[in-house]
Amino acid sequence: MALKQKGFIPYTVVVFVNAFVDLGHKIVIQNTIFKTYDGQQQVVLTAIVNGLILLPFILLFSPSGYLADRFAKHLIIRYSALIAVIATLLITFCYYQGWFWASFGLTFALAVQSAIYSPAKYGYIKELVGNENLATANGRVQAVTIAGILLGTFVFSILFERLLQGQGPDTTNDIMTLVAPIGWVLVALSLVEWFTTSLLPARQTTRTEEVFRLGPYLSLQYLGRNLKVLWHNNTIWLSIIGLATFWAISQVMLAAFPAFAKDTLDITNTIVIQGILACSGIGIVIGSLIAGKASRNYIETGLIPVGALGIAIGIAALPGLASPYSMGFAFILVGVMGGLFIVPLNALIQFHAREEQVGTVLAGNNWIQNVAMLGALILTVVFALFGIDSVGLFYILTAVAIVGTGYTVRKLPHSLVRIIAMGVLKRRYHVEVIGFENIPRAGPTLLLGNHISWIDWALVQIACPRPLRFVMLDRIYDTWYLKPFFKVFGAVPIAAGRSQDSLRDINLLLKAGECVCLFPEGAISRNGQLGKFHSGYERTIEGVVEGVIVPFYLRGLWGSSFSRADEGLRRARTPESRRDLIVAFGPPLPLETDTKHLKQKVFELSEDAWHAYSGHLQPIPLAWLRTARRHPWEISCDDDGGKRLSNMELVTQVVTHAKTMGLARSASNVGILLPAGSDAIVTTLAVLLRGRLVVHLDHRDGLESLESAMALSSVEQLITSRDYLQVMAAAGVDLSALSAAIGYVDDCGNRIPLWRSLSAKALFILLPVSWFYAFYGRRLRIADNAAIVVQARQSGSGLPSQAVVLTHRNIMVNIKQVADVLNTELDDVMLAQRPPCDALGLTTQCLMPLVEGIPVACQADPDDTLGVAKTIARKNVTILFARCNLL
């Protein structure tokens, strides 16, 4: 979903420019060190520069968190931008004076601005986009930040080299004087950042009345209290440790790589050095965008162990590489995996942080990360002084990354389960989560919903950012090859008829503040519908305080290989591409909610899930083509005139008729006057394929009623058949009196050359369905109009006739709903005896069999009772729709 909240675009501009400016001065200092120092001195001074940048984040942890919680975050961002303007002016002055060490020291001033700015910046994301889009927004912001860093790396490195070109300075002070014009670029960008902050909307006022005091700050009381806030929430703490490890490794790589490249590869051009380092940023952008897309509407924590493992592999490969290109690729790999690693961790921290503690938590996150990075840099300096070269540092980093991966999997086993489940599911399924904001961040939570398949537990865990404790039957839990897996995952076995111990365990888990998921139906559904809800869960809440029930509904797994649907239904429900799975969470309910009320809420969620699912449906002609492609040689329609068409033959006739029936460009609404049969089906699909509206008409009420219906539905062109003209003439209806242009479907067949039919068949076999559809049809949206159904006035009712417009979405939803209720299978045969001029005939007997892949047996005369009976017997009809008029 696009992030269109007011203020998000100016916010991303501010983030981008801030990263760009911060990087500019740092690049100038680092490149100066690179030009004038070698070996250990270079590693040590680079580490000190990075350490000076980190120090304010450590020292100002408590004040910056206090400011972010106490004052409006958009104002903090604005005033921080003003500090950046002042700092860059001072830096520019130092450049012109040739004061390298003063410029070196002013990195601390910019770091102070960033330390104050950072908690407010990340806390402001949540205020702008809310919980539901946290992961996506974090992915975008992370990508924008890295893009600013990358552009700054290249721009300032190029400026640096250009300004030094041919000068050959010997000292750091000489270099400062030569590159001084870069300072004005920094000043101009800082002014742009400051101006853009004025466009940020106000989202928050004062949150707390607490007053910041210097004494407790200096005595580290604030530090201890704030760290307790982080330690109290295990998910937040583990996420922060993971982020700290990643950024600590990154700092060591940034400090050690220039010396490694200079000594091992003999690279002395700073543009090449910074370009290779920038590859990691490119990777982080890619990884962040992938993580944001994978976490759309929820937080995909399964990416965390994958990212951790990928980082370890990338670092391990670096010492063995011998060319700038291979190193650039390795840095891209590390960056991509880093993006997959950090985006869900940042989103988890923001999701689990309480509103009044967001600033404190984010400032604490910065503090721990920066302590870890500073510690890593200090160790880098120590290792360098003891003679450990850059290659040795890379091997040490590899060991740290491997240990970190093991720790992540050990502490967050549900994340590993999620990624394994997604590895299996995402090849065949597309997962969407709605109501994500209804999941409590913490506290006793009982997730209760429908049970549709063997993998419901995996789907719920994918959608929920909290670790879940699932309740499952003991006979499944005790399966020898699954039991170790379930043990690590923390599943709770329950035995039918002996559930007291299990219910007591669930009660203890809830009292401990955990999130427990169970299925009140007690068994997997055998028909895809909601079954009886049992009240066993009511015995798990005794003594649980401040807990809630969160109802959920799962849609999309019925008919899959993981459900109890029979083989015929599974074949009928197998999609051409990926199956849409929807997890809908409802608003929290009190723990005392009874089964009747709970089931009603779950039923209401099924409507929300259906609404979300309908947005993924395809227009009628494309949906039909996809079904026909799966079963091209199966019979599609068989009418009483003896015409039998396979799906391949039907597709051929439809696309060729669509080209030859001569639809007028001005005729957006095309009338069809045909009985139930293959001609009506071919014509209906051909008109829809060309993007026109279908209007099925009825001649049985006379010419006047027919003219009225055509005028009411704005029909300018009418399609019928010459054989049907005789039927209408016998009923006293003469179409020659109509003003509309008339075309004949039987004439279309006579005008189709053989080469066109053969080419249509060949293209249908060879091309992807979407390409075939684009070649022969007109692209449509699911919200576009598809048909008009004319409801004629009843004699004596005094009510006028009405023309009801149906969209592709209206018809497709009805098709899917009816198919789900009937549990239709490919072996079914549908009887089409009602004329397609009413909604029942059009939807259930004309279009539904085609979209669902069910053969349709057509009977032209619905009043011929004997003919209907014979058709049912001869064609083995299994589904018959009839209208029942109750007097």
Side-chain angles (χ1 to χ4, degrees), residues 570-767:
R570 291 179 189 177
R571 288 198 306 120
R573 293 292 187 275
T574 301
E576 181 192 30
S577 53
R578 292 191 297 177
R579 185 188 298 270
D580 291 313
L581 304 182
I582 296 174
V583 187
F585 294 105
L589 304 172
L591 284 175
E592 298 76 21
T593 303
D594 59 24
T595 54
K596 181 179 179 181
H597 190 205
L598 173 65
K599 185 175 180 179
Q600 177 61 32
K601 291 299 180 183
V602 174
F603 182 79
E604 291 170 5
L605 285 174
S606 71
E607 298 177 3
D608 297 336
W610 261 104
H611 181 75
Y613 168 69
S614 66
H616 298 294
L617 293 173
Q618 296 170 326
I620 297 166
L622 180 56
W624 158 66
L625 284 172
R626 292 193 184 282
T627 302
R629 177 65 170 271
R630 292 200 299 272
H631 312 285
W633 313 115
E634 300 291 332
I635 294 298
S636 177
C637 64
D638 185 358
D639 63 22
D640 55 352
K643 185 184 290 186
R644 287 168 58 90
L645 298 176
S646 67
N647 280 310
M648 174 66 77
E649 293 167 332
L650 179 61
V651 169
T652 303
Q653 289 202 17
V654 167
V655 298
T656 52
H657 278 62
K659 292 284 188 182
T660 58
M661 66 174 47
L663 295 178
R665 291 190 176 184
S666 61
S668 59
N669 302 347
V670 179
I672 300 176
L673 195 54
L674 291 167
S678 58
D679 284 345
I681 289 173
V682 169
T683 306
T684 299
L685 291 173
V687 172
L688 290 173
L689 191 67
R690 301 302 295 172
R692 311 299 176 85
L693 270 71
V694 170
V695 186
H696 278 280
L697 300 167
D698 191 358
H699 74 281
R700 290 176 297 177
D701 291 331
L703 184 62
E704 182 181 352
S705 176
L706 180 61
E707 289 179 318
S708 174
M710 291 176 64
L712 188 62
S713 54
S714 302
V715 170
E716 299 176 10
Q717 186 169 2
L718 182 66
I719 297 178
T720 185
S721 70
R722 298 190 183 280
D723 290 339
Y724 201 49
L725 282 178
Q726 300 177 8
V727 176
M728 289 185 283
V733 177
D734 184 5
L735 296 187
S736 61
L738 297 177
S739 59
I742 300 177
Y744 299 98
V745 67
D746 29 12
D747 290 350
C748 295
N750 297 330
R751 295 198 297 266
I752 299 173
L754 179 62
W755 68 265
R756 180 167 285 176
S757 297
L758 293 176
S759 63
K761 290 180 179 179
L763 291 176
F764 186 61
I765 293 172
L766 298 174
L767 292 180

Side-chain angles (χ1 to χ4, degrees), residues 416-430:
L416 182 61
V417 170
R418 285 167 65 111
I419 202 61
I420 292 173
M422 288 308 296
V424 174
L425 293 179
K426 276 208 168 181
R427 291 179 299 170
R428 300 170 55 191
Y429 302 99
H430 169 265

Side-chain angles (χ1 to χ4, degrees), residues 745-805:
V745 67
D746 29 12
D747 290 350
C748 295
N750 297 330
R751 295 198 297 266
I752 299 173
L754 179 62
W755 68 265
R756 180 167 285 176
S757 297
L758 293 176
S759 63
K761 290 180 179 179
L763 291 176
F764 186 61
I765 293 172
L766 298 174
L767 292 180
V769 174
S770 57
W771 293 13
F772 183 84
Y773 172 62
F775 182 76
Y776 280 104
R778 178 187 168 196
R779 290 193 177 274
L780 298 168
R781 297 172 301 153
I782 191 66
D784 289 340
N785 294 332
I788 297 178
V789 176
V790 179
Q791 296 179 333
R793 67 178 184 271
Q794 294 182 356
S795 179
S797 67
L799 298 175
S801 299
Q802 291 182 320
V804 180
V805 180

Side-chain angles (χ1 to χ4, degrees), residues 532-546:
K532 178 183 177 181
F533 275 29
H534 300 281
S535 60
Y537 71 89
E538 297 177 358
R539 288 177 282 168
T540 67
I541 62 174
E542 183 180 352
V544 180
V545 295
E546 298 183 353

Side-chain angles (χ1 to χ4, degrees), residues 20-29 32 53 83-114 156 175-177 179-188 190:
F20 195 88
V21 171
D22 282 355
L23 213 280
H25 179 54
K26 181 181 174 183
I27 287 294
V28 171
I29 296 297
T32 301
I53 294 172
I83 294 174
V85 173
I86 298 170
T88 52
L89 282 170
L90 291 173
I91 288 170
T92 302
F93 177 76
C94 292
Y95 286 173
Y96 276 99
Q97 298 303 312
W99 297 344
F100 171 74
W101 294 108
S103 301
F104 190 110
L106 280 171
T107 56
F108 186 81
L110 277 179
V112 169
Q113 181 259 356
S114 295
F156 289 109
I175 292 177
M176 286 289 97
T177 304
V179 301
I182 293 177
W184 294 116
V185 179
L186 293 172
V187 172
S190 298

Side-chain angles (χ1 to χ4, degrees), residues 349-365:
I349 291 170
Q350 292 163 321
F351 175 81
H352 286 278
R354 286 159 41 183
E355 295 292 340
E356 69 277 9
Q357 295 178 336
V358 170
T360 298
V361 169
L362 294 178
N365 177 31

